[in-house]
Amino acid sequence: MSSVKIVFLGAGSVRYTLQLFLDICKTKELWESYVCLMDIDSEKLAAVHNLAERAMNEIGADLRIESTTSLEKALEGADFIVNTVLAKGEGEEDGYTQYEIMRQVGEKHGYYRGIDSQEFNMVSDYYTITNFNQLNTSLEIAKAVERICPNAYLMQTANPVMEITQIVLRSTKTKIIGFCHGFAHVKDVFEALGLEFEKVDWQVAGINHGIWLNRFRYNGEDAYKLFDKWIEEKSSQWEPKSPWDVQLSPAAIDMYKFYGMLPIGDTVRNGSWKYHYNLETKKKWYGKFGGIDNEVERPKFYEELRALRKKLLALAQDKTVKLSQVFPEEFRLDKLSGEQQIPFINALVNNKPARLFLNILNNGIIPELPNDVVVEVPCIIDASGIHPEKIDPPLTSRIIKYFLMPRIMRMEMAVEAFLTGDKKVLEEFLIRDPRTKSYEQVKAVLDEIMNLPFNKKMKEHYKWE
């Protein structure tokens, strides 16, 4: 067993922290490690500390747990930092509510689903140009890591993963890695085709929320032929089980036929405006729910998150209840959550090799993309470090030119605007939006967003008058 210090920032989110904490409890090689829970909300922090100790005791794990509201104290001696912070500006509203307020302002000015919903970036909590509070807090955290524990890995988990990881790498020497779980939806494809997971030779690559199944072989044969047969014979029978179930949707199939490879996970939600003009259009391409990124299902999801958090906080008050009885599936000792953070730690610390899909600097991994851009690619992790796989076969020309390059350009604009404080970049970002009808519309929507009470720091940053 190896002892390391693992820090959870934004631990008061409760749900995600407990999910990853349970992964540590189930990983015996990490027992005797020191887990530090950090959040600025002392009430929620106390609750998650309570739940974590009970979960540890029910599983029988051996960990040291501490909690603090001090970022500096949390980072002292840290080896791994999991950043799940959802920052917010001034005011009583939570971060998701502030997101929704900005979305409503955008829609008022003619931008359906808000100004941050752009081609190839339709995921509802992936704000890039109005998200100053999140970007700024994330950079401040990274600078603190660089100062206090420079050898630690900062594991960026909160969105927008691509932009935050990019900003930190360009502004600090912090060892930041971006984490996302969207790649796991390849299993939906394998299950639909009746393939044994262990026999599939597969690879996905691209950028965060823009990854593609570039290699797909089964028993040594091209498995895309099996997928083509499924499309012909069974795709018409597909129905989504939930708003999140879009991997085999008409949108995914349509993107596959155009780009030559199947989009995976959140990539399916991130197609062009063809799939997103309005709710009716979304239902055509994503099934009866219209996916999760619409005006009906996304608010429902936020309410479900709040209800779950409320349930967990109530459980923290009732110590007579066994958590394993309330959440039996989560307490199965033979099954981790599917998130990558704890296998990443175990691979580096205890030389338990793992194949993970990480957001790291390109540096030639995808030769057609700039070296200084963060890409999401398969890597083998072991005690000697992070070893990116060769991307074979390469992504198609259409994926590179028509999907990834336009999305990277949007990232570069968002990053430059944030780092320079040049409001003209924000304006240019919107001028190129197909929903924009005039320059006056651009100035009006940005002006109203800047003047929201919780965006005071953003207004000052951009010297908005």
Side-chain angles (χ1 to χ4, degrees):
M1 290 185 235
S2 299
S3 177
V4 293
K5 181 177 179 180
I6 304 169
V7 179
F8 289 92
L9 303 182
S13 62
V14 186
R15 175 186 67 100
Y16 201 78
T17 299
L18 286 176
Q19 188 178 40
L20 295 182
F21 180 78
L22 284 171
D23 282 348
I24 301 176
C25 290
K26 297 173 188 178
T27 306
K28 288 189 176 182
E29 294 91 347
L30 292 175
W31 286 9
E32 299 182 4
S33 289
Y34 174 25
V35 177
C36 182
L37 309 172
M38 183 270 159
D39 201 283
I40 59 174
D41 188 321
S42 57
E43 183 179 355
K44 290 177 182 175
L45 183 61
V48 76
H49 189 134
N50 171 292
L51 294 168
E53 283 195 335
R54 287 160 61 186
M56 177 185 68
N57 291 333
E58 288 185 37
I59 289 178
D62 180 16
L63 300 165
R64 291 175 294 155
I65 309 173
E66 186 176 284
S67 57
T68 179
T69 57
S70 167
L71 175 63
E72 287 72 18
K73 183 178 179 181
L75 294 180
E76 289 176 1
D79 298 294
F80 299 93
I81 303 110
V82 181
N83 183 14
T84 66
V85 170
L86 173 60
K88 71 184 193 73
E90 297 176 8
E92 297 300 319
E93 313 96 342
D94 62 27
Y96 287 125
T97 300
Q98 292 183 354
Y99 279 0
E100 285 299 299
I101 291 172
M102 288 192 287
R103 195 192 312 279
Q104 290 166 10
V105 171
E107 294 195 324
K108 170 184 170 183
H109 289 273
Y111 295 92
Y112 176 59
R113 299 304 295 153
I115 66 175
D116 284 277
S117 289
Q118 296 272 341
E119 284 207 321
F120 316 126
N121 186 28
M122 297 289 182
V123 173
S124 289
D125 64 352
Y126 214 87
Y127 282 46
T128 60
I129 65 167
T130 64
N131 215 354
F132 175 82
N133 295 319
Q134 179 77 344
L135 300 181
N136 191 53
T137 297
S138 301
L139 181 56
E140 288 178 348
I141 288 170
K143 288 180 176 178
V145 171
E146 182 181 36
R147 184 179 72 254
I148 299 170
C149 49
N151 293 321
Y153 278 97
L154 177 57
M155 307 164 76
Q156 184 59 39
T157 301
N159 283 330
V161 169
M162 183 182 184
E163 277 75 8
I164 291 173
T165 306
Q166 194 78 60
I167 287 168
V168 170
L169 286 171
R170 291 186 181 176
S171 306
T172 75
K173 295 181 180 178
T174 303
K175 297 195 297 186
I176 187 171
I177 307 289
F179 286 78
C180 186
H181 49 214
F183 74 94
H185 286 276
V186 293
K187 295 177 182 178
D188 298 344
V189 181
F190 303 163
E191 290 173 4
L193 300 183
L195 307 182
E196 295 181 48
F197 185 81
E198 295 74 16
K199 295 182 179 180
V200 184
D201 177 14
W202 63 281
Q203 191 179 65
V204 297
I207 59 175
N208 189 226
H209 293 184
I211 55 175
W212 305 79
L213 185 60
N214 62 304
R215 184 162 76 235
F216 188 24
R217 301 185 67 80
Y218 190 67
N219 287 331
E221 300 292 331
D222 180 7
Y224 266 124
K225 293 179 179 178
L226 300 176
F227 187 61
D228 290 336
K229 183 178 180 181
W230 181 89
I231 292 174
E232 183 180 347
E233 297 178 355
K234 298 183 178 181
S235 63
S236 61
Q237 303 166 26
W238 175 84
E239 283 286 342
K241 301 179 184 68
S242 76
W244 298 93
D245 180 18
V246 298
Q247 182 59 70
L248 296 168
S249 64
I253 294 169
D254 191 61
M255 292 172 74
Y256 161 60
K257 290 180 178 179
F258 180 75
Y259 289 104
M261 291 175 175
L262 184 66
I264 297 299
D266 303 293
T267 316
V268 179
R269 298 156 60 191
N270 272 341
S272 70
W273 280 106
K274 177 180 183 178
Y275 315 112
H276 294 281
Y277 287 117
N278 49 44
L279 183 56
E280 182 181 1
T281 301
K282 287 173 180 282
K283 288 183 176 180
K284 171 186 174 182
W285 291 105
Y286 296 107
K288 60 185 178 182
F289 301 106
I292 190 64
D293 303 297
N294 63 63
E295 58 270 40
V296 175
E297 300 301 334
R298 178 54 63 160
K300 285 183 185 177
F301 171 63
Y302 288 151
E303 287 306 312
E304 289 170 1
L305 283 181
R306 294 185 183 103
L308 177 57
R309 182 179 295 172
K310 186 176 180 180
K311 178 180 179 180
L312 289 168
L313 294 175
L315 283 172
Q317 300 299 316
D318 186 355
K319 297 182 181 180
T320 65
V321 177
K322 291 195 69 172
L323 301 179
S324 55
Q325 292 179 347
V326 180
F327 304 106
E329 186 66 20
E330 286 78 0
F331 275 77
R332 280 181 50 185
L333 297 182
D334 62 335
K335 182 180 179 183
L336 297 184
S337 68
E339 299 293 340
Q340 302 185 98
Q341 289 87 340
I342 307 311
F344 175 82
I345 295 173
N346 200 29
L348 285 173
V349 173
N350 294 307
N351 200 29
K352 294 289 183 178
R355 187 189 195 218
L356 305 176
F357 295 81
L358 305 177
N359 288 267
I360 59 177
L361 271 186
N362 184 24
N363 284 334
I365 303 169
I366 302 178
E368 301 86 353
L369 299 181
N371 284 335
D372 65 343
V373 164
V374 171
V375 293
E376 187 166 307
V377 291
C379 303
I380 302 300
I381 318 300
D382 58 27
S384 65
I386 301 169
H387 313 285
E389 293 181 0
K390 179 182 179 181
I391 306 306
D392 180 33
L395 297 169
T396 68
S397 176
R398 282 188 176 182
I399 290 174
I400 296 292
K401 292 189 296 186
Y402 300 158
F403 190 103
L404 298 183
M405 292 303 289
R407 174 65 182 93
I408 288 171
M409 182 194 72
R410 293 290 187 176
M411 175 277 291
E412 293 287 6
M413 295 180 80
V415 169
E416 181 179 345
F418 171 77
L419 291 178
T420 65
D422 187 350
K423 64 182 181 181
K424 288 296 182 182
V425 181
L426 296 182
E427 291 179 352
E428 188 66 28
F429 194 101
L430 281 182
I431 287 168
R432 301 183 184 208
D433 191 304
R435 297 167 294 178
T436 296
K437 307 304 177 187
S438 69
Y439 181 46
E440 288 68 32
Q441 179 187 3
V442 168
K443 292 191 293 183
V445 69
L446 287 175
D447 186 65
E448 187 165 347
I449 287 173
M450 291 288 178
N451 281 292
L452 290 168
F454 53 79
N455 281 337
K456 181 180 178 181
K457 288 185 179 179
M458 180 166 71
K459 182 178 179 180
E460 293 172 352
H461 179 73
Y462 288 105
K463 299 179 177 61
W464 203 269
E465 298 176 359

